[in-house]
Amino acid sequence: MKKIVFLTGAGMSVESGFKTFRGAGGLWEDFPVEQVASHEGWLADPVLVNQFYNRLRKKLFAAEPNEGHRLIAALQDDFDVTVVTQNVDNLHEKAGSKRVIHLHGELTKVCSSDDQFDERYVRELTEDNCEVAEGEKAGDGSLLRPFIVFFGESVPMIGPAAEVVSEADILVIIGTSLNVYPAAGLAHYVKAGTPIFLIDPDDVPTSNIPNLTHIQKGASEGMRELIEKVKK
């Protein structure tokens, strides 16, 4: 069974009404990104940061996967599919994708603020219990914080993601610029000759990536065209 790896970014979730990443204005949901998505911001005001993610979590639980998410999941019937996502939402999982690597953490989870990757203290929140109360503690006694890789923090899943990409028979990049890392870096881990598809409605410079086909459409429409190509 051929291995398809999807690398998805903010553009993947736009059609679901859930875009969490910085826009051209440099704001993330009307807050300076340094205030709500950096280690310094967390240290300065953990209450504000947790309130921000409490609100964002409610938006996520109300969001539904779009057709693009569902088409990726449907390919599992014919291919060995892994999704590597820069998104912190769980829309790939909601759509039915079974193997998802989250590079930047997961909004539905909270963790220790002393060691966010200590699995003993990572907790999944539910729709009816999705808020972190002021001063709420993790099992190790530290403040609970969002299980999000803040700007400036290390990205521990980049190694496993690179390994998966290196084994891909097909790489598909959706909704993330090839000028932004880690997307740009991961594309260079493919085996020589591996076909790469970029689904993005915008003009993207692609000359430095060999064997690349640009499908200049949004996520759902682009996925429909991709399926026609890979199932031939």
Side-chain angles (χ1 to χ4, degrees), residues 171 190-198 206 208-214:
L171 176 66
V190 296
K191 298 178 297 230
T194 301
I196 301 174
F197 294 91
L198 171 67
T206 59
N208 64 331
I209 306 234
N211 303 309
L212 187 139
T213 301
H214 185 186

Side-chain angles (χ1 to χ4, degrees), residues 20 27-42 45 48-53 55-56 146 148 150-151:
T20 60
L27 297 179
W28 190 354
E29 298 285 315
D30 301 322
F31 282 85
V33 82
E34 294 78 13
Q35 193 174 10
V36 294
S38 72
H39 189 66
E40 293 74 22
W42 165 258
D45 197 342
L48 172 73
V49 174
N50 268 328
Q51 287 174 344
F52 170 80
Y53 287 98
R55 289 194 296 273
L56 200 57
I148 301 291
F150 290 147
F151 287 92

Side-chain angles (χ1 to χ4, degrees), residues 43-202:
L43 292 176
D45 197 342
V47 173
L48 172 73
V49 174
N50 268 328
Q51 287 174 344
F52 170 80
Y53 287 98
N54 283 344
R55 289 194 296 273
L56 200 57
R57 227 173 267 121
K58 286 181 179 177
K59 287 186 180 180
L60 174 56
F61 279 117
E64 292 297 330
N66 59 55
E67 185 186 3
H69 291 110
R70 293 192 294 271
L71 289 173
I72 289 174
L75 279 174
Q76 293 172 135
D77 293 338
D78 301 295
F79 297 90
D80 181 341
V81 177
T82 302
V83 177
V84 177
T85 187
Q86 295 172 273
N87 298 337
V88 297
D89 63 56
N90 63 349
L91 296 174
H92 283 296
E93 288 91 341
K94 272 188 176 181
S97 287
K98 295 181 174 63
R99 197 156 51 242
V100 183
I101 295 173
H102 284 270
L103 292 176
H104 295 152
E106 297 175 69
L107 181 56
T108 57
K109 294 180 179 179
V110 288
C111 59
S112 158
S113 53
D114 282 348
D115 182 359
Q116 67 262 45
F117 301 109
D118 189 328
E119 293 182 1
R120 293 175 296 173
Y121 308 120
V122 176
R123 178 153 55 98
E124 179 101 32
L125 300 178
T126 59
E127 184 170 4
D128 53 4
N129 183 26
C130 65
E131 295 192 61
V132 175
E134 186 174 334
E136 193 172 349
K137 303 276 181 70
D140 62 354
S142 69
L143 283 175
L144 271 179
R145 62 161 268 183
F147 187 60
I148 301 291
V149 176
F150 290 147
F151 287 92
E153 293 182 333
S154 63
V155 182
M157 295 308 293
I158 195 71
E163 186 175 345
V164 164
V165 169
S166 73
E167 297 170 351
D169 296 305
I170 300 169
L171 176 66
V172 184
I173 302 168
I174 307 178
T176 181
S177 168
L178 285 169
N179 295 319
V180 177
Y181 284 77
L186 285 173
H188 292 290
Y189 281 90
V190 296
K191 298 178 297 230
T194 301
I196 301 174
F197 294 91
L198 171 67
I199 298 175
D200 195 302
D202 298 327

